[in-house]
C-alpha cells in the first residue's frame, strides 16, 4: 500500500511547490463564487493573523513534490447567550480551510488524511468543534467532509459581491458617517453580538490588526449633537460595520465567461469613459487579478437602520474606489440577517448559499453544554439571525 506522508508546512522548503500545486488546482477558495479563481500569494498568509494556526502538506510515497495542502486555525467564539442573561457562551473552535489536492492525485485518500491529521492537532489544542465552508456547488468538498469525515451541514450564509466602479456613490445629506476608535468599536461589538454565533473573543486583536481599515457608524445628522460616543446608550437609529483589506492577502480573477460577456463589460467601460455624466455603473476589469474589501460586523438598528446601512456600503465602495487594485466590495451575512436587504450586490457575482459544515471533536462529557447551552452545538438551532464572519478566515 502506498503511504501518504503528512507533515507541517516549511515556508523555506515548500512555498514554491504549494503555490504551483494550487495553481494547477484552478479552484476558487471556500465560499467564493465558482467564476472566481483565487491567487493565494504567500501560502500561509490566510491564517497567520489568527491566534493559533497550522498548515499541513501531503507527499506521496515514491514521488517528488507536494500533492495536497490544508490550513487550520483555532479561536474562541460565541455560540449564543446563557439563558436569561446577557452573558455569551464561549466555545473553542477550529476552522478548516484551503484544502487542495493535486488533480493527478485525487481519489487516493489524500484529502481525508489531511483532514484527519489537522483534526488531531485541533483536539490537542483544545478545540471542541471544527467547521469548514464551501460553496453549495462544490459537491466533492461537501461529500468529503460529510460522508467521509462525519461533518454535518450547519449554517448557510450568503455572500454578497458589489463591483467597484469609477463613480463615487452619494452618501446622502441627512446621514453622517463617523469612524469609531478601536476601544469604542470593541465595546459596541461585544454588546451587539453577544447573542450571535462565531463572534470572536479576541475581537480587539481583529480591530487593531493592520488589515483592518476601520470601524464606521452611520447615524442621522440630527443625532450627532446629542449622542455621546462615550455613553453606554447607542443612538436610536444607527448602522455599524468594519472594513478589512484583503488586497494584500489574496487576489481574485473572473474566469469561465464567454467572449461576448467580456466584450460587453469592456464596452461598458468605454461608454462610461466617453459619457461620464451618465454615471453608468461600468464593470471594472475583473478578468485581471484584483483585490477586494470585506465588510464585516454589519449591524443596523432603528427605524432608519436600512438607509443608514446603505449609506455605509456606499462609503465603503468609495473607499475601494480610491484604492488602486480594489475591484469589489464583499460581505458575508446570515441568510436571515436583515442587513442582507440593505447591502447592494450583483447577483451574478454573489453566492446565495455558502455551506458551513461542523463536527464535534470531543465527547459530550467534555463539551460546553455545562455553561448553560445545549450540549451539542452541531444539533442546535441558530441563536440569532446575525452571524459574525471573522475577516481573518475569509
Amino acid at each position: 500500500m502506498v503511504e501518504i506522508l503528512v507533515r507541517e508546512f516549511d515556508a523555506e522548503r515548500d512555498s514554491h511547490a504549494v503555490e504551483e500545486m494550487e495553481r494547477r488546482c484552478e479552484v476558487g477558495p471556500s465560499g467564493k463564487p465558482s467564476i472566481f479563481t483565487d491567487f493565494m500569494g504567500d501560502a500561509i498568509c490566510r491564517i497567520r493573523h489568527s491566534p493559533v494556526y497550522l498548515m499541513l502538506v501531503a507527499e506521496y510515497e515514491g514521488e517528488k513534490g507536494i500533492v495536497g495542502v490544508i490550513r487550520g486555525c483555532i479561536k474562541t467564539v460565541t455560540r449564543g447567550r446563557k439563558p436569561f442573561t446577557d452573558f455569551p457562551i464561549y466555545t473553542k473552535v477550529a476552522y478548516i480551510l484551503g484544502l487542495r489536492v493535486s488533480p493527478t492525485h485525487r481519489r487516493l485518500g489524500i484529502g481525508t488524511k489531511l483532514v484527519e491529521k489537522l483534526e488531531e492537532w485541533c483536539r490537542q489544542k483544545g478545540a471542541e468543534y471544527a467547521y469548514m465552508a464551501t460553496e453549495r456547488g462544490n459537491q466533492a468538498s461537501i461529500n468529503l467532509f460529510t460522508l467521509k469525515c462525519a461533518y454535518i451541514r450547519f449554517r448557510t450564509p450568503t455572500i454578497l459581491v458589489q463591483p467597484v466602479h469609477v463613480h463615487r456613490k452619494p452618501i446622502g445629506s441627512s446621514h453622517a458617517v463617523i469612524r469609531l476608535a478601536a476601544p469604542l468599536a470593541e465595546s459596541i461589538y461585544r454588546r451587539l453580538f453577544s447573542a450571535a454565533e462565531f463572534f470572536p473573543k479576541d475581537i480587539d486583536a481583529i480591530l487593531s490588526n493592520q488589515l483592518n481599515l476601520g470601524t464606521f457608524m452611520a447615524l442621522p445628522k440630527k443625532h450627532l449633537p446629542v449622542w455621546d460616543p462615550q455613553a453606554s446608550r447607542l443612538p436610536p437609529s444607527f448602522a455599524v460595520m468594519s472594513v478589512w483589506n484583503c488586497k494584500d492577502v489574496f487576489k481574485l480573477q473572473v474566469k469561465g465567461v464567454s467572449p461576448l460577456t467580456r466584450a460587453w463589460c469592456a464596452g461598458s467601460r468605454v461608454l462610461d469613459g466617453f459619457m461620464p455624466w451618465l454615471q453608468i455603473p461600468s464593470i471594472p476589469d475583473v478578468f485581471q487579478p484584483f483585490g477586494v474589501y470585506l465588510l464585516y460586523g454589519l449591524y443596523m438598528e432603528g427605524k432608519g437602520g436600512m438607509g443608514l446601512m446603505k449609506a455605509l456600503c456606499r462609503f465603503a465602495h468609495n473607499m475601494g474606489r480610491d484604492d488602486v487594485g480594489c475591484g469589489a466590495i464583499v460581505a458575508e451575512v446570515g441568510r436571515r440577517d436583515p442587513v442582507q436587504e440593505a447591502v447592494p450586490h450583483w447577483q451574478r457575482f454573489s453566492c446565495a448559499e455558502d455551506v458551513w459544515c461542523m463536527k464535534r471533536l470531543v465527547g459530550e462529557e467534555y463539551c460546553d453544554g455545562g455553561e448553560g447551552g445545549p450540549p451539542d452545538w452541531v444539533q442546535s438551532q441558530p441563536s440569532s439571525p446575525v452571524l459574525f464572519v471573522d475577516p481573518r478566515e475569509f
Side-chain angles (χ1 to χ4, degrees):
M1 184 176 179
V2 178
E3 183 179 353
I4 302 166
L5 172 64
V6 176
R7 59 173 175 80
E8 188 170 344
F9 169 79
D10 183 317
E12 292 186 7
R13 171 183 172 189
D14 301 326
S15 291
H16 179 71
V18 168
E19 290 170 13
E20 283 298 315
M21 190 273 296
E22 290 188 324
R23 192 173 292 113
R24 292 197 305 271
C25 289
E26 287 270 313
V27 177
S30 295
K32 302 295 189 303
S34 58
I35 59 171
F36 291 129
T37 294
D38 179 24
F39 297 87
M40 298 293 292
D42 178 4
I44 206 165
C45 64
R46 295 288 282 275
I47 54 174
R48 68 184 178 196
H49 298 285
S50 298
V52 183
Y53 60 86
L54 179 71
M55 181 168 168
L56 298 175
V57 296
E59 295 173 322
Y60 205 57
E61 186 182 37
E63 296 186 19
K64 276 190 172 183
I66 289 170
V67 297
V69 63
I70 195 170
R71 301 163 177 83
C73 52
I74 298 175
K75 59 182 179 177
T76 301
V77 303
T78 58
R79 51 168 290 191
R81 241 188 232 139
K82 295 180 182 179
F84 314 112
T85 75
D86 290 330
F87 298 105
I89 302 170
Y90 284 108
T91 303
K92 202 168 188 179
V93 300
Y95 179 57
I96 297 175
L97 72 160
L99 174 62
R100 304 282 193 271
V101 176
S102 171
T104 57
H105 291 80
R106 290 173 184 169
R107 301 182 183 277
L108 298 174
I110 295 172
T112 304
K113 186 75 172 287
L114 283 167
V115 173
E116 290 173 349
K117 287 292 186 181
L118 187 57
E119 286 179 348
E120 182 181 326
W121 173 81
C122 294
R123 289 189 189 93
Q124 293 172 356
K125 295 296 182 180
E128 299 168 71
Y129 296 92
Y131 75 104
M132 53 76 69
T134 190
E135 61 183 271
R136 181 177 57 180
N138 192 347
Q139 200 59 50
S141 179
I142 293 174
N143 288 344
L144 169 64
F145 280 91
T146 59
L147 300 181
K148 296 184 178 180
C149 300
Y151 284 69
I152 296 175
R153 289 184 184 234
F154 187 62
R155 302 290 182 254
T156 53
T158 298
I159 297 177
L160 306 172
V161 182
Q162 171 71 35
V164 171
H165 59 82
V166 298
H167 304 292
R168 297 186 68 84
K169 291 182 177 288
I171 302 300
S173 58
S174 62
H175 297 153
V177 176
I178 60 174
R179 184 185 183 120
L180 302 178
L184 178 58
E186 177 190 349
S187 174
I188 290 174
Y189 273 148
R190 291 193 187 279
R191 184 170 164 188
L192 296 178
F193 289 97
S194 63
E197 293 181 316
F198 296 99
F199 178 74
K201 193 173 186 178
D202 65 337
I203 184 64
D204 54 324
I206 296 175
L207 297 175
S208 61
N209 191 287
Q210 61 182 357
L211 297 177
N212 191 64
L213 300 179
T215 301
F216 305 93
M217 176 180 283
L219 68 162
K221 281 186 177 178
K222 63 182 180 181
H223 291 161
L224 274 177
V226 296
W227 180 60
D228 180 6
Q230 304 306 318
S232 59
R233 188 171 62 180
L234 290 166
S237 293
F238 70 93
V240 64
M241 72 162 58
S242 296
V243 182
W244 187 267
N245 181 12
C246 298
K247 283 194 319 111
D248 299 327
V249 180
F250 62 85
K251 301 290 185 183
L252 296 178
Q253 181 179 358
V254 174
K255 289 192 172 184
V257 298
S258 67
L260 183 61
T261 299
R262 284 176 173 261
W264 181 81
C265 294
S268 72
R269 295 193 295 274
V270 172
L271 184 62
D272 193 21
F274 277 111
M275 295 180 286
W277 60 88
L278 293 179
Q279 298 282 302
I280 297 172
S282 53
I283 301 175
D285 189 3
V286 292
F287 307 110
Q288 299 297 323
F290 64 91
V292 302
Y293 282 176
L294 174 69
L295 311 182
Y296 71 98
L298 290 81
Y299 187 94
M300 62 187 190
E301 194 169 293
K303 187 177 180 180
M306 185 167 292
L308 293 166
M309 179 57 70
K310 290 179 179 179
L312 276 184
C313 291
R314 295 187 191 107
F315 179 84
H317 171 276
N318 293 342
M319 287 178 62
R321 171 194 174 274
D322 295 337
D323 189 352
V324 176
C326 180
I329 306 296
V330 183
E332 186 167 14
V333 299
R335 288 189 70 190
R336 297 185 296 115
D337 192 331
V339 302
Q340 186 175 158
E341 298 182 21
V343 178
H345 61 280
W346 287 16
Q347 189 171 358
R348 178 70 180 92
F349 287 172
S350 300
C351 177
E353 189 174 291
D354 193 27
V355 179
W356 288 18
C357 299
M358 180 176 276
K359 175 182 180 178
R360 191 170 67 185
L361 296 178
V362 298
E364 185 173 343
E365 64 273 20
Y366 301 107
C367 210
D368 55 7
E371 289 199 37
D376 191 354
W377 189 13
V378 175
Q379 303 295 337
S380 66
Q381 294 297 313
S383 58
S384 164
V386 178
L387 188 71
F388 195 95
V389 175
D390 193 325
R392 297 171 297 189
E393 298 169 0
F394 186 77

